[in-house]
Amino acid sequence: MNKKVVPAVLIALLILVTLFANRGNRGFGTLLWEKVVSHNPETELFVEVLNDGSVIIGSQNTGLHFYSADGELLWSNPTIRVKDLVSDGEKITIASPEGIKQYDTNGNLLATYGQNYAFVRVLSDGTVIGYRMDERKIKAFKDTLLWEVAISAEQIETTGDVLVVSTGSSVRAYDKTGSLLWSVPYSNKIMCMSVSKNYIAVSVQSNPPYVDLLDLNGNSVKQWSISYTPIGSIGVTDYGDVCVVAGQKLIFLLKDLDSAVERLSLIHISEPTRPLYIS
């Protein structure tokens, strides 16, 4: 699944959601359909593109909407306040002030867990992981509460059956039972991290800023200094190649090279501290 997190900006705007794909005899990059989504810029807009081309859109002020691969609105729930969103193609899992909620792709509510959740992720075995901000706890559910860990989390991600957590000053990994596997401390603030099947990329706001590439055992594989500030979103592939948004530029870092191999000037790019989703 391919996810976009659209950051907040300072003025009101309409988010134009556009889907491109290579289908049938149409060339790559052919415009398939587009929708204009009215959106409050002070909240994030989550977009999840499933393997069959269908699209899920959610935010705190517009609710949850499911479009077919042809752009037809199949169902929506405009009252649910979406603060995070993931999908495996069969289930849609959201975090909201009303709790963690799971839907099937037909919009049927399958499960609800607790309330006041800010982040949600799902392990490969179906275990639902949520972060409840008012309690500062990560909780794991599978029909019922399995375990919980008291921690102040700024970001949670999963890879397989491993939960990876950024506290802002450390990166920690937990197994599917909630046991701590390892912890890597940082002396400067962590801005963002991204997780793939084999690697964890961490952007650190130091002087100069840098990117730390970890393996899934918490070992530092490579570090790159970044000459642009502020450093923001980051993404990592399964091969350990990284792209990062910094100083209004999109910078590509290859694991086998010591420096950035390409820099693209992006005049109007914002600086979200959220992961980029790349492959």
Side-chain angles (χ1 to χ4, degrees), residues 1-3 48-51 87-90 277:
M1 271 55 69
N2 302 309
K3 173 185 286 187
E48 185 95 4
V49 183
L50 305 186
N51 290 336
S87 178
D88 62 0
E90 296 182 358
Y277 292 85

Side-chain angles (χ1 to χ4, degrees), residues 213-229:
L213 183 66
L214 307 176
D215 63 21
L216 295 188
N217 293 314
N219 301 308
S220 181
V221 175
K222 195 175 189 66
Q223 292 186 352
W224 298 271
S225 292
I226 304 295
S227 54
Y228 300 99
T229 58

Side-chain angles (χ1 to χ4, degrees), residues 246-264:
Q248 295 197 339
K249 292 181 180 291
L250 186 63
I251 303 171
F252 296 90
L253 308 167
L254 299 186
K255 184 169 70 72
D256 296 332
L257 296 178
D258 292 330
S259 59
V261 297
E262 185 175 357
R263 297 181 178 95
L264 299 179

Side-chain angles (χ1 to χ4, degrees), residues 180-253:
L180 181 66
L181 298 174
W182 51 262
S183 177
V184 176
Y186 290 89
S187 56
N188 297 95
K189 180 173 177 57
I190 297 170
M191 299 304 296
C192 188
M193 71 173 181
S194 181
V195 176
S196 68
K197 290 181 180 179
N198 302 311
Y199 294 97
I200 303 164
V202 184
S203 62
V204 182
Q205 192 66 54
S206 63
N207 187 18
Y210 68 94
V211 171
D212 193 16
L213 183 66
L214 307 176
D215 63 21
L216 295 188
N217 293 314
N219 301 308
S220 181
V221 175
K222 195 175 189 66
Q223 292 186 352
W224 298 271
S225 292
I226 304 295
S227 54
Y228 300 99
T229 58
I231 191 169
S233 290
I234 192 169
V236 61
T237 70
D238 294 343
Y239 304 101
D241 299 325
V242 175
C243 99
V244 63
V245 175
Q248 295 197 339
K249 292 181 180 291
L250 186 63
I251 303 171
F252 296 90
L253 308 167

